[in-house]
Structures are given as C-alpha cells and as structure tokens.
Amino acid sequence: MKIVKTLALMAGLSTFFALPAYADGLIDQVNGITFDNKGHPYRFNGLQIDREGKVVKLLSKNDKRPSSPDFYLNGQNKTLIPGFVEAHSHVMALGEQALELDLSDSHSLAEAQEKLKKFADEHPSARWILGSGWNEQIWHSPTMPQASDIDKIVNDRPVWLLRSDGNIGWANSLALEKAQIKPAQNADKISPIGILTGDSITRMKQAIPPLQPVDRDAAFLKAQKIFLERGITTVTDMGSSVDDWNIMRRMGDMGRLRLRIKSYAQGLEPLLSIAGKYPTALLYNGHLSMSGVTFSIDGNIVSRHAWLKQVYADSNQQGSDNLNDAKLRNLMSRAAMDGFQVAVQASGDAANNQLLNAIDELSESYKGDRRWRIEDASLIDSEDFKRLSKYDLVVSMQPSSYFTDKSVIEQRIGANRLSEIEAWDTLIDHSVPVTFGAIAASPFETMADILDRQDSHPDQKDKKINRESLFSYYTIQPAYASFSEKQVGRLMAGYYADFIFVDRDPLTVDNNALRQTKILETWVGGRQAWSQNSNQ
C-alpha cells in the first residue's frame, strides 16, 4: 500500500544521509555544557574529536589546540550540549505515522474532519486511510468521537486513526467491518462505537494491509529525521520486531543509519530470532544493538487498561493484567538467563506490584547488574515506593503524556489521586533511578512543563529537580537505563561525540524561554546528522 510517493522521498533523503569519512576534528569557540553523574554542569569552549567519532578532550580557553586537525569548525559561541537520549520510543510506529494523516494540530472535531477530507482527496488510490495524533482533550470535547463522525466524511474506504497516546483508536464503520469487530466485542464497553482499545486495536492492525518494504524504509528515514530534529541522538526502541530490526540493519548496511538505536525485542520470539543466545555486539560503530526484551502487563490509564488496585473513578473497571504471575516470571527468567535486560510495561499500581513481586523472586536467582526496567510507570502505590529502592531496577516514565492528558487522567482516577500520577519526585527522594522519555514533544518543552509544575507547588521545595539535574533525566539516566552510560549521555573523553547546537543557553533562561529553545544542528559521532539550514 503506497501512502506517500516513497521513491521520491527516498531519493531526496539519500543525499542527506551520505556519510563522510571519519576524521580528526576540532570544534572551537563554543559555549559548551556537559553534566556529571549528579547533574552538575561543566563548561568548556572547545571539543576535540578522534577518527572513531569519540571525544578526545574538552578544551578550556587556555588549553592548547591541535595544530592541524582534519576539520575545524568555529562554533561562533553558540551553545553546545550533549544530544538527548530517548528512553522509550517506537521508531517504526513514529515513522509510519509521520507518513500518514497528522491530526496532532487539529483543535476541534470539525477541523479533524476537514483534514481527513483533504487527505482522502489527495490520496485517492490509498486502500486504507490511516492517521494519528487526535486528542479530544485538545478539542475540549466532553466525549470521544465515534464511527459516524468519520462516516460522514469517508465511507467508501476503511479509516483508522490512532489517538495521540497510541493506546486508543478511532475507526469508521467500514474499518470495523474489515476487522470483523462488532461494538459488543470491543474490550472497553463504555466507549462509543468506533473507539477501540486493547485487543480490538490488535485485531484492527491485523486487518490493515502490510506496508511494502520501500514504504517501511521511507518510514524509518522519516522517523530518524524527526528524532534528529528534536536533538535526540540515541533512541531506545522498545518493542522491535524482526522486520523492524531488518530495516535498521538495512539502513546500516546502506550507510544511512545516523541515530544510535538501543533495541529491545517485542517478546521472546523476535529476541531469540535476532540475537540468539546473547545480546548482540555494537554494530555500525555503536549505532545499533539489541541487548534486551520487553513484555507488557497492562496498558495506560487513559484507555482504562492500566491495571489498578482500585476501580477507576469514572467506571467500575480496574483494568486487567496481560500476564499471570507464573507466565510473567517464566518470561523474565528465560530472558535473564541469557544475560538480556528485561523491560516490562507496568502502568497501574496493581501491575507495578505484580512486577515488583516477580523481581523480588528473580533477584534471588539472577545476581549482578541487571537493571530490571519498569516501563511507563504511571501510578505506584505508596507502599511500593519503599520496595523500589531495594532492587537493581530503573523506572522509565513519560512526563509528556502526563501533561498532554492531565485532565482525562483526573477523570479516570479522581482528583484526589492526581498527585500520585508520575510521582518522579517521590521516586527520586527514595533514590530510585528514574529516566524520562519525550516521544510526543521536544525534550525542552517537557522540561519546561516539569519546572512549571514544580513552581506551582512551592511547598515541595525539598522535592524539586533543579534545572541542571533535570537534563540528566534526558541524557545520563536513559543512557544508564540501557547500559550505555559509558558511551553516550555525556561529553567526555572516550564517549561518542553526540551533541547538539541550540539557540540559547538552557541553564540561564526562564521556563518559557527554555520551552522555546530551538535545535540548530545535531551531530552524531562527530559528524553533522541534521541542520535547520538543510533542505532535507
């Protein structure tokens, strides 16, 4: 199925992704900032890079410069900081969505319908109309849309539109028919006809014709460009399929892989098919590896699929678990015995409790540095906070989703529990390693939102994350979460020279100015991977 003119897109991107040879380099006259393990800033004004694309030395004004580097760049006093490390993302899903109908900037149902009509008219040969990004909260709508809202615009082709969180879908009547989904079969009985969650989303995706390889390649390149535009130089792909991995390998073989990708397989079958007995080596000069696997206990709170100890405030549901205790332990054990890192999706407090019980048992058998990962941890029971610090684990959170869906989350769990959602400050107080993802927005926007939230609660000064240490949750901490803390996340001797130029000093501006920070250039391994002045 052709979604875009992929051959033209691929041709246009081929020039952008042509790689020069590695060389000794000096980037000088910069306002350089990096951070230590505690988030304390260290300033420098020159960066020396070797032929492997790694940092040789951070230079101060008084340090002697190399006499004849292969390349030299005068930074003209622009601010240079480490590239961001994305802790939890879905690379191919992002790329595919970027080639489809984008409803993220629609501010009403009527505007979304208008965009849908325009897209359908511009793609008359598309067998399905696919899109994403809508959010009824942004529309200020008290209810979800329904199938009839699409049928009024497009009724001759199936239409499938994912919500901005990726956990709720909106289908027209023909798409429901193609997927053989009747209203009574949707897991969420209180949703309008056409709004799908849980297993119904899986059934819908199975009904959609698969993309051709050329379309998938184009989707990867599009996703890569989006990450680089956001200043993200390393991505944790949480849930890679065998096909996803093959695309990433193909990009590496063709010299088009600019991002660093830490891949976690979507379950045991792709893990064993790709990596076999042990985690893979670092491929393409540290740009790709598979060292872990992800499993899922529950979904998210917005879709009411997070597994809670109490019923949701707006229904009599508690969500549900996808894995019973025995199966969860068996899956985790099978991966851990071969040295793979285990990441488990556990959003609700009941899911987190189940996962902690499993880690408690498995920690007796699997010693050493394991760093069990809890993904999308949204709601954790106060009694479990004390347990978290006992184990060798990392809690991965998504603050951007909290800020996007704060009002609907409040509807789901009640205003009295809202303070318990995304309680990263409490986790940090308990010395629990925490890392942040920022799929939905620029990391700078989310950092400003976090600082604004803290500023609105002056009585919690002792729990504040200061601005300097906040950067570590988008650089050092996600690197630690994937066992990459000696390769990326900081700029220091021996680390990859992954950095970004920005248009202001993010440590000295106010929150609003921080939110408006622009990425000027993104460099990976000492080579420019993206520039705002590029036409690509």
Side-chain angles (χ1 to χ4, degrees):
M1 176 177 59
K2 301 293 186 205
I3 295 179
V4 296
K5 297 177 181 178
T6 50
L7 288 175
L9 176 60
M10 293 283 284
L13 286 173
S14 62
T15 301
F16 176 75
F17 287 103
L19 295 176
Y22 282 107
D24 289 314
L26 174 63
I27 297 178
D28 209 359
Q29 303 302 315
V30 297
N31 175 33
I33 308 170
T34 190
F35 304 90
D36 64 19
N37 280 331
K38 296 183 179 179
H40 299 147
Y42 175 83
R43 292 186 179 268
F44 58 94
N45 80 327
L47 185 68
Q48 187 178 348
I49 303 168
D50 67 16
R51 289 182 173 274
E52 293 183 348
K54 295 182 178 180
V55 176
V56 175
K57 187 177 182 182
L58 302 180
L59 302 168
S60 65
K61 291 182 179 181
N62 297 325
D63 286 332
K64 183 179 179 181
R65 270 51 179 167
S67 58
S68 55
D70 292 332
F71 80 87
Y72 172 86
L73 175 67
N74 187 324
Q76 300 178 337
N77 295 316
K78 292 194 295 286
T79 296
L80 182 157
I81 63 175
F84 293 117
V85 180
E86 168 60 70
H88 182 122
S89 191
H90 305 281
V91 174
M92 292 307 303
L94 176 67
E96 289 170 15
Q97 289 172 9
L99 299 179
E100 301 164 354
L101 171 60
D102 180 12
L103 296 175
S104 61
D105 59 349
S106 60
H107 294 86
S108 67
L109 172 60
E111 188 176 346
Q113 290 172 317
E114 182 181 344
K115 289 179 179 294
L116 171 60
K117 184 179 187 307
K118 180 180 179 182
F119 187 89
D121 290 344
E122 292 175 349
H123 298 80
S125 62
R127 293 159 58 190
W128 282 62
I129 302 296
L130 305 176
S132 62
W134 63 271
N135 189 317
E136 82 291 347
Q137 297 299 307
I138 297 175
W139 299 347
H140 301 292
S141 172
T143 60
M144 288 280 189
Q146 51 190 321
S148 61
D149 294 319
I150 301 178
D151 292 339
K152 296 173 185 176
I153 310 302
V154 180
N155 57 22
D156 61 337
R157 287 176 285 174
V159 179
W160 173 240
L161 308 170
L162 277 173
R163 191 177 183 275
S164 57
D165 63 352
N167 292 284
I168 298 175
W170 177 21
N172 69 350
S173 297
L174 190 53
L176 294 174
E177 179 183 325
K178 292 289 186 182
Q180 299 182 345
I181 296 175
K182 297 178 180 179
Q185 294 175 316
N186 184 25
D188 189 351
K189 305 299 190 301
I190 63 178
S191 292
I193 294 174
I195 293 297
L196 305 182
T197 61
D199 292 339
S200 296
I201 287 183
T202 301
R203 291 181 60 181
M204 181 61 70
K205 290 180 177 179
Q206 290 171 345
I208 299 171
L211 292 178
Q212 296 300 311
V214 66
D215 297 307
R216 295 271 284 163
D217 287 353
F220 175 85
L221 292 176
K222 183 64 175 178
Q224 179 168 250
K225 184 169 182 284
I226 291 172
F227 284 120
L228 294 173
E229 288 173 340
R230 295 177 182 174
I232 296 167
T233 53
T234 298
V235 174
T236 306
D237 190 48
M238 197 56 71
S240 306
S241 67
V242 173
D243 190 29
D244 295 342
W245 177 262
N246 286 338
I247 291 168
M248 296 170 192
R249 287 296 306 262
R250 185 156 63 247
M251 292 297 110
D253 291 342
M254 295 168 65
R256 292 184 172 182
L257 184 59
R258 304 306 300 269
L259 279 174
R260 300 193 192 280
I261 301 177
K262 302 293 293 187
S263 174
Y264 289 68
Q266 184 65 54
L268 281 178
E269 186 174 341
L271 176 74
L272 299 177
S273 176
I274 294 167
K277 182 68 175 174
Y278 305 108
T280 71
L282 291 174
L283 306 171
Y284 311 113
N285 194 38
H287 279 74
L288 180 64
S289 64
M290 177 174 283
S291 58
V293 62
T294 180
F295 308 112
S296 177
I297 293 178
D298 65 351
N300 74 354
I301 288 174
V302 172
S303 64
R304 300 187 189 87
H305 278 242
W307 185 25
L308 308 185
K309 292 183 177 181
Q310 304 175 26
V311 296
Y312 285 87
D314 59 353
S315 76
N316 62 354
Q317 303 176 9
Q318 285 183 257
S320 60
D321 60 325
N322 298 325
L323 300 171
N324 61 41
D325 290 347
K327 187 171 183 179
L328 176 62
R329 286 166 168 76
N330 287 338
L331 289 172
M332 294 175 67
S333 178
R334 177 63 185 85
M337 71 172 58
D338 286 339
F340 291 103
Q341 188 182 15
V342 176
V344 182
Q345 157 87 31
S347 183
D349 51 3
N352 274 277
N353 182 265
Q354 181 191 37
L355 179 53
L356 282 173
N357 291 339
I359 293 174
D360 186 34
E361 180 178 313
L362 294 173
S363 294
E364 295 298 316
S365 301
Y366 300 104
K367 305 294 185 179
D369 191 0
R370 293 287 172 172
R371 301 184 200 178
W372 312 95
R373 291 184 58 142
I374 304 178
E375 299 300 312
D376 290 342
S378 297
L379 183 63
I380 302 173
D381 189 281
S382 58
E383 292 300 315
D384 284 331
F385 278 117
K386 301 173 184 176
R387 301 177 63 193
L388 287 164
S389 59
K390 292 170 51 180
Y391 305 115
D392 175 27
L393 53 75
V394 178
V395 178
S396 175
M397 311 184 87
Q398 298 287 333
S400 60
S401 297
Y402 164 83
F403 293 112
T404 301
D405 288 323
K406 181 178 178 180
S407 58
V408 71
I409 291 172
E410 183 174 349
Q411 293 172 19
R412 297 290 184 264
I413 65 171
N416 61 317
R417 301 198 72 189
L418 192 59
S419 62
E420 301 175 40
I421 292 292
E422 301 287 345
W424 49 75
D425 47 5
T426 306
L427 288 168
I428 293 167
D429 281 349
H430 283 80
S431 300
V432 177
V434 175
T435 186
F436 292 159
I439 299 173
S442 157
F444 289 115
E445 293 179 23
T446 308
M447 284 192 282
D449 288 337
I450 291 171
L451 293 171
D452 283 344
R453 183 174 98 153
Q454 293 185 156
D455 291 344
S456 66
H457 295 84
D459 56 318
Q460 297 182 356
K461 291 182 179 179
D462 59 319
K463 294 185 177 182
K464 284 194 173 185
I465 305 173
N466 64 45
R467 180 175 300 220
E468 290 79 7
S469 65
L470 180 57
F471 277 85
S472 69
Y473 298 100
Y474 288 97
T475 53
I476 297 169
Q477 290 299 101
Y480 173 84
S482 62
F483 286 93
S484 304
E485 72 273 18
K486 294 183 179 180
Q487 302 155 14
V488 298
R490 291 193 285 172
L491 293 171
M492 60 182 297
Y495 282 59
Y496 287 111
D498 300 348
F499 55 86
I500 57 179
F501 284 106
V502 294
D503 67 345
R504 65 201 69 185
D505 188 327
L507 300 185
T508 61
V509 297
D510 61 26
N511 293 355
N512 188 55
L514 176 65
R515 181 177 286 104
Q516 302 301 321
T517 301
K518 297 290 187 289
I519 312 293
L520 304 177
E521 298 177 20
T522 301
W523 291 60
V524 181
R527 297 186 292 196
Q528 187 188 92
W530 176 84
S531 168
Q532 67 169 0
N533 296 322
S534 170
N535 293 324
Q536 305 299 333

